[in-house]
Amino acid sequence: DWILRVDAIPESAAEAATNTAQDVAESASDSERRVAALALGAIVVSIAAAVWFGRSIVKPVRRLTDQAERNGGGRRGFEPLDRHGPPEIVRASDAMHDVVDNLVLLEAKGQALARADFDDPALQQQMPGRLGASLQLSMEVLSASIEERESLQSRLRFEATHDSLTGLGNRASLVALLGSRRHGGGLAVIFIDLNDFKGIND
């Protein structure tokens, strides 16, 4: 009996080993299928998330790009950009609003200065943001320069036709006045001369 049992040990060990190997193979195959299914699920979820994220960024970026192109082309009438999407897009949209506001106001200020209309309300309006502060300073310097030039030209026009001591019209203004009245009604001119007045004056 003992010899028969000892002889049966290798067979039963082989059978047990075969059964265990088959169980391990089936278990490994199930695990492999589960891992593959999980990996496939993760890939699908990743692709869906990437598509959703891409769409959530692409639309606001496209609107921002369109707005930038319109402003670059000089068309500043625009509808406000949405404040939706990633924080960076929202900040870029806000910055675009500030730039457009500055451009619109800068254009109004430039037109007022070109007309030399220093009472235009646009010249008194402050420009928003740091860029606006810099542009505002530039516009104030330019405005002061134009006002100074206008004042100088006005003063030069006055001095060209008036005596600097008395403020009365000089010879140039008299000649211009006589020229303009030549073809009208009657005209009388009185000329008074003082002997040696130039010497006394000198």
Side-chain angles (χ1 to χ4, degrees):
D1 286 345
W2 182 81
I3 291 175
L4 288 175
R5 275 191 247 147
V6 169
D7 284 344
I9 287 176
E11 285 179 18
S12 53
E15 187 179 326
T18 303
N19 290 338
T20 303
Q22 285 176 350
D23 290 345
V24 168
E26 288 174 11
S27 174
S29 180
D30 288 345
S31 295
E32 191 176 284
R33 280 194 288 271
R34 275 195 299 267
V35 168
L38 286 173
L40 183 61
I43 289 171
V44 169
V45 168
S46 298
I47 290 172
V51 168
W52 174 81
F53 186 70
R55 284 188 178 173
S56 72
I57 289 179
V58 167
K59 188 177 178 184
V61 168
R62 187 175 295 134
R63 289 197 66 209
L64 198 58
T65 303
D66 291 344
Q67 184 62 49
E69 287 175 352
R70 280 197 303 273
N71 289 324
R75 295 169 294 165
R76 287 188 237 311
F78 78 106
E79 53 190 74
L81 295 168
D82 290 337
R83 299 190 83 248
H84 301 295
E88 293 80 10
I89 299 294
V90 171
R91 285 202 312 270
S93 297
D94 290 344
M96 179 62 74
H97 284 290
D98 282 350
V99 167
V100 170
D101 289 346
N102 279 325
L103 288 174
V104 168
L105 192 52
L106 185 63
E107 191 171 17
K109 286 175 183 275
Q111 289 174 355
L113 289 177
R115 293 188 311 268
D117 181 7
F118 301 109
D119 296 327
D120 191 306
L123 291 176
Q124 308 309 320
Q125 194 173 349
Q126 291 296 318
M127 300 176 84
R130 286 190 320 189
L131 173 64
S134 176
L135 290 172
Q136 181 71 29
L137 183 61
S138 299
M139 292 303 285
E140 287 171 3
V141 168
L142 184 60
S143 176
S145 174
I146 292 173
E147 278 188 88
E148 187 178 328
R149 188 193 71 193
E150 290 287 319
S151 173
L152 178 64
Q153 285 179 341
S154 177
R155 195 175 86 231
L156 288 175
R157 277 194 298 271
F158 181 82
E159 288 178 358
T161 57
H162 292 78
D163 181 68
S164 60
L165 180 63
T166 63
L168 298 173
N170 64 11
R171 180 178 292 188
S173 68
L174 177 65
V175 169
L177 182 65
L178 291 176
S180 66
R181 301 262 176 113
R182 185 177 295 167
H183 302 294
L187 177 69
V189 176
I190 298 175
F191 179 77
I192 300 173
D193 188 21
L194 299 175
N195 290 336
D196 296 328
F197 181 71
K198 183 177 181 341
I200 295 168
N201 193 37
D202 289 344

